[in-house]
Structure formats: C-alpha cells, structure tokens
Amino acid sequence: SEYAEGSSNHKYLEIYNATDGDVDLSGYSLSSCSNGCNDGVSWDYPDNVTFDAGTNVSAGDVYVVCHGSADSLIQVECDQTFTYLSNGDDVFALTQIGSGAVLDIIGVVGDDPGSGWEVAGVSNGTKDHTLVRKASVGSGNGGDWTTSAGTDADDSEWVVLDQNTWDYLGSHPHDISLD
C-alpha cells in the first residue's frame, strides 16, 4: 500500500490488509533482488523477510517494515525492521512461503533497471520518491508491475509523491489529490 525510498535510511514498505478478516503474515514473506536479479529470472533473496507465527494484520490495518535507522516519524509506525530495503532499483514482492506465488510486487524480476522503475510516467519513480497505492485498488498486482506502475497518473495504481513524504504512513486507503 505504500513504499518509500527516502533520503539516507528513511525507507519502508507498508502492507495493507484489504480483506474483512485478520491475515496471519507468517505464511508470507518479502522476496527481493538487489540491483536487478543475478540471473535475470529468479529471486536473489527468496523469503528474505519472514514474519513470526501469529503476526496478524487486522482487517483494514497495515503492517510496516522499515529500516532500523529510519526517521522517528517512520519508526513510530514500524512493526518490523529490515536493513536492506530498496535504493530504488531493488525489486521487492510479497510472496507466499512454499509456493513462491507473488501477491504484490514493486519492480520487475529481471535485469537492473538503472536507478529505478518508471511509475505513473515519472522516470525513476521508485528512486527518491514515496509511492502510495490509490484508494481504488483493493488487491495486490499479482506480480504484474508494468500494469500496476502504469504509464501516467491516470492509469497507474500509484500516486508518486516527493521523497520523504510520510503523511500517509500507518493507515490505508487514502484519497490523495495532487491538484
């Protein structure tokens, strides 16, 4: 539901439970690749971030994974720390442990994109920006980053905000007007 590649260590991923029941995250993980995937087709780090048994996210609530040295405004919302969050060109996905099925992804499993991926027509949108999922999106992208990122502000699932914009962290959904 939200992703930040902030200055310094001000980085986080927010996972939103859009269902009407609790979700136990222990059956899921965050899988990643650094600067593209080594072989271009599979995770460098499958199940890189795991969740303890009983890590429940209530219906309509969020779970935040952040860098341990992130700003105190991020730390207050942080549920779990992880040091190696994205520098803009690292793909991260919420995956199912065991099957590896991708529920949601930021980036593309493949070659290094350079500095970052385009989002909503913003070049390097995953670099030095905060991404917030639009309120109209009720589920993950199932691994289809290209469609999720879109080509402009209208067809993207994301709102691209300036770096270090943390106004929406800790809850979801949000109606964001950039007028």
Side-chain angles (χ1 to χ4, degrees), residues 77-164:
E77 299 295 342
C78 189
D79 297 296
Q80 181 172 336
T81 60
F82 182 70
T83 300
Y84 304 105
L85 292 170
S86 184
N87 288 322
D89 62 351
D90 304 326
V91 60
F92 268 85
L94 180 62
T95 53
Q96 188 174 39
I97 291 179
S99 74
V102 175
L103 283 76
D104 208 0
I105 195 166
I106 295 176
V108 176
V109 174
D111 296 331
D112 188 344
S115 296
W117 286 274
E118 185 172 311
V119 184
V122 176
S123 178
N124 296 320
T126 56
K127 174 80 173 156
D128 299 333
H129 290 95
T130 298
L131 306 179
V132 178
R133 200 61 123 338
K134 290 180 179 176
S136 61
V137 180
S139 64
N141 57 33
D144 183 358
W145 172 250
T146 303
T147 301
S148 180
T151 59
D152 58 36
D154 292 329
D155 69 6
S156 178
E157 293 184 348
W158 300 90
V159 176
V160 180
L161 302 171
D162 290 339
Q163 186 179 44
N164 299 333

Side-chain angles (χ1 to χ4, degrees), residues 46-76:
D47 302 330
N48 202 15
V49 178
T50 57
F51 307 100
D52 292 334
T55 301
N56 289 314
V57 182
S58 300
D61 201 1
V62 297
Y63 189 88
V64 178
V65 177
C66 74
H67 190 284
S69 298
D71 186 276
S72 62
L73 293 172
I74 296 170
Q75 291 289 338
V76 73

